[in-house]
Amino acid sequence: METFDRPLPAGADWTIPQDWDRYTAAEHAVWDTLFERQAKLLEGRVATEFVDGLDVLRMERPGIPHFGKLSERLMKLTGWEVIAVPGLIPDDVFFDHLANRRFVSGNFIRSPQQQDYLQEPDVFHDVFGHVPLLTHPVFADYMQAYGLGGRRAVALGAIKNLARLYWYTVEFGLIRHDRDLRIYGAGIVSSRSESVFALDDQSPNRIGFNLERVMRTKYRIDDYQQNYFVIDSFDDLLRQTLDTDFAPIYQRLARQPDIEIDTILSGDLVYSQGTHNRARARLAQE
Ligand code: HBI
Ligand code: FE
């Protein structure tokens, strides 16, 4: 994330006005289509906490939510607000917003031609994907803790390790639900194809969450994940992170090799060992 080719916004905090009035009817329609499609697909697949949180977005329908109004609701629930940014922002600025319970969202929405994949986080990924869980008090605290931890990781030169924690929880996390697994990561819930793949496909590993294991594991940004890590509950996630001093962990991690994307370790709690067929097939095509 070295280059930022968008024009620098006015503030040093990278925020911009949402400009809600500027959305066209076609843009609101993209939101509505994606919202209905995902809400239906996620029934029985997503964490119940996410389903409960979706109500806060339903209240803003139809169309792309107005961040000011959405923030009023969210503020009452967990003290979070949603603010607009032009796209990806520098790590330290991102952490600072989270540490202050401000969730940043892209203000633009994907085009109808890009309905299934895009690189930069748009308002559908950011708001549909992330905001529902921000209504949950424990998850809301976890996100703030991540922001505070981010500041420390910058100082300790350990962003790479901490970013993996974000990736494998907030973006691509799975959670136990009775005897099954369910989705809670925003990168999965906002993707039609990955919300099926992450739970049903034979290809990826599904492994019990362990903080140090996760922070050592590489990930891919160009395709579906080859590892998903499974938490027992949000309380458990918060316990494994908030009550932990990361400084000695970072020191240990600096002396250990990264874990390759298709590796299973002897200490892993394996929910399913992946075939990695999808990754192999893709490699063969190249
Ligand atoms: N900026 N807008 C935006 N959204 C993100 O999710 C984001 C970001 N900047 C940095 C970042 N995420 C991550 O690299 C950190 O979690 C490490
Ligand atoms: Fe995201």
Side-chain angles (χ1 to χ4, degrees):
M1 221 167 304
E2 280 80 43
T3 55
F4 297 93
D5 51 10
R6 289 164 190 280
L8 259 167
D13 67 356
W14 285 74
T15 61
I16 55 173
Q18 184 191 9
D19 271 339
W20 190 86
D21 293 331
R22 291 244 292 257
Y23 293 126
T24 64
E27 287 175 324
H28 285 301
V30 170
W31 171 277
D32 288 335
T33 304
L34 291 171
F35 188 103
E36 259 147 55
R37 194 184 79 182
Q38 277 312 100
K40 193 154 202 300
L41 176 61
L42 290 173
E43 280 170 26
R45 297 184 162 266
V46 77
T48 51
E49 292 88 344
F50 181 95
V51 177
D52 296 342
L54 259 187
D55 287 345
V56 81
L57 297 183
R58 279 217 178 81
M59 291 173 197
E60 294 298 327
R61 300 189 69 202
I64 300 168
H66 182 286
F67 292 175
K69 293 183 192 160
L70 180 59
S71 295
E72 261 175 54
R73 294 186 198 279
L74 203 51
M75 186 64 87
K76 283 192 200 123
L77 294 169
T78 55
W80 276 78
E81 51 190 322
V82 179
I83 52 175
V85 291
L88 285 171
I89 61 173
D91 288 342
D92 58 331
V93 183
F94 181 70
F95 296 142
D96 222 63
H97 285 304
L98 294 183
N100 289 290
R101 289 174 106 88
R102 291 189 296 263
F103 191 76
V104 299
S105 170
N107 71 336
F108 68 98
I109 190 153
R110 65 197 71 187
S111 70
Q113 292 78 39
Q114 290 174 309
Q115 284 209 4
D116 286 306
Y117 185 74
L118 73 171
Q119 291 240 320
E120 276 221 305
D122 73 337
V123 61
F124 186 73
H125 167 81
D126 281 331
V127 172
F128 182 89
H130 288 282
V131 169
L133 283 183
L134 288 174
T135 66
H136 187 265
V138 173
F139 196 84
D141 285 353
Y142 175 71
M143 288 291 278
Q144 181 179 22
Y146 181 80
L148 294 165
R151 289 178 177 163
R152 262 176 265 130
V154 172
L156 297 168
I159 287 292
K160 186 178 82 173
N161 298 120
L162 190 73
R164 290 172 178 164
L165 175 62
Y166 191 85
W167 190 264
Y168 280 125
T169 59
V170 178
E171 295 293 352
F172 292 98
L174 301 184
I175 186 168
R176 283 179 47 186
H177 179 95
D178 300 332
R179 300 212 171 152
D180 285 330
L181 303 183
R182 290 203 176 183
I183 300 161
Y184 72 89
I188 312 176
V189 301
S190 61
S191 159
R192 168 157 63 176
S193 44
E194 197 155 356
S195 26
V196 175
F197 177 90
L199 293 181
D200 298 349
D201 207 274
Q202 307 269 304
S203 202
N205 298 328
R206 299 179 185 88
I207 303 170
F209 177 88
N210 170 286
L211 180 63
E212 295 197 33
R213 195 321 177 178
V214 165
M215 291 205 292
R216 286 177 61 200
T217 309
K218 294 184 179 175
Y219 60 82
R220 54 190 308 162
I221 57 168
D222 61 332
D223 196 9
Y224 305 141
Q225 298 308 301
Q226 282 177 255
N227 291 298
Y228 296 97
F229 289 94
V230 182
I231 59 171
D232 285 343
S233 64
F234 292 122
D235 284 313
D236 186 50
L237 175 64
L238 195 67
R239 218 177 302 121
Q240 285 203 51
T241 50
L242 202 64
D243 297 347
T244 307
D245 180 5
F246 280 35
I249 298 182
Y250 293 146
Q251 277 177 4
R252 245 191 328 270
L253 296 183
R255 296 190 300 267
Q256 289 179 308
D258 287 343
I259 300 171
E260 293 303 322
I261 222 158
D262 53 359
T263 301
I264 300 262
L265 301 180
S266 58
D268 285 341
L269 169 61
V270 181
Y271 287 91
S272 49
Q273 177 159 8
T275 61
H276 300 286
N277 281 345
R278 179 184 171 86
R280 264 193 231 110
R282 271 186 52 129
L283 265 180
Q285 277 172 13
E286 279 166 13

